[in-house]
């Protein structure tokens, strides 16, 4: 019943910006972890960034200083602001909600981000 709907992907030139959004449909218990993963061609899915219910964040070294994760708990939505995009950021980006206290994990359908000149 619950699904995560992603939006905001697309084609952008190096140095450009994109903002990804991911919102849960229907009612859910607020996730204690919201995050973004990505999977480039031929690569395994990797964690990009995560934000906790308390607002603590972690970023992969490759995106630190360029990407910003935020969440709106009232809307069950997580955002990923991506600035100064590089070709190596090209990947399918997947949002992920986790609630360890409810033992659920939800994945978004993925949105393609392509950084190319």
């Amino acid at each position: 019943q619950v699904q995560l709907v992603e939006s905001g992907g697309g084609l952008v030139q190096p140095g450009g910006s994109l903002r990804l959004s991911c919102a849960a449909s229907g009612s859910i218990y607020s996730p204690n972890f919201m995050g973004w993963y990505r999977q480039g061609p031929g690569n395994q899915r990797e964690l990009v960034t995560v934000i906790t219910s308390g607002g603590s964040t972690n970023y992969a070294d490759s995106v630190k200083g360029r990407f910003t994760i935020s969440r709106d708990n009232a809307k069950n939505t997580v955002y990923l602001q991506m600035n100064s995009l590089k070709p190596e950021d090209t990947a399918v980006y997947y949002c992920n909600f986790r609630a360890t206290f409810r033992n659920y994990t939800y994945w978004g359908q993925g949105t393609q981000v392509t950084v190319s000149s």
Side-chain angles (χ1 to χ4, degrees):
Q1 186 176 55
V2 175
Q3 60 179 340
L4 305 186
V5 181
E6 299 184 33
S7 63
L11 174 65
V12 65
Q13 293 187 348
S17 298
L18 286 173
R19 192 189 194 207
L20 307 183
S21 298
C22 175
S25 64
S27 297
I28 60 169
Y29 283 91
S30 182
N32 48 340
F33 298 95
M34 291 177 168
W36 291 92
Y37 292 72
R38 67 186 181 186
Q39 187 169 12
N43 296 327
Q44 294 186 354
R45 190 173 299 184
E46 64 177 358
L47 178 65
V48 177
T49 179
V50 64
I51 185 168
T52 71
S53 58
S56 298
T57 59
N58 278 310
Y59 296 90
D61 288 342
S62 59
V63 307
K64 200 169 297 182
R66 300 186 297 118
F67 290 12
T68 303
I69 188 172
S70 60
R71 64 189 283 172
D72 185 335
N73 291 333
K75 298 179 179 179
N76 284 321
T77 301
V78 65
Y79 305 94
L80 182 63
Q81 178 66 47
M82 303 183 292
N83 298 326
S84 301
L85 283 161
K86 303 175 180 179
E88 52 263 43
D89 295 319
T90 296
V92 178
Y93 284 71
Y94 300 89
C95 59
N96 174 263
F97 291 4
R98 295 180 63 85
T100 57
F101 57 97
R102 299 295 294 183
N103 195 33
Y104 77 66
T105 301
Y106 298 124
W107 288 95
Q109 81 281 3
T111 185
Q112 177 70 48
V113 172
T114 302
V115 185
S116 177
S117 59

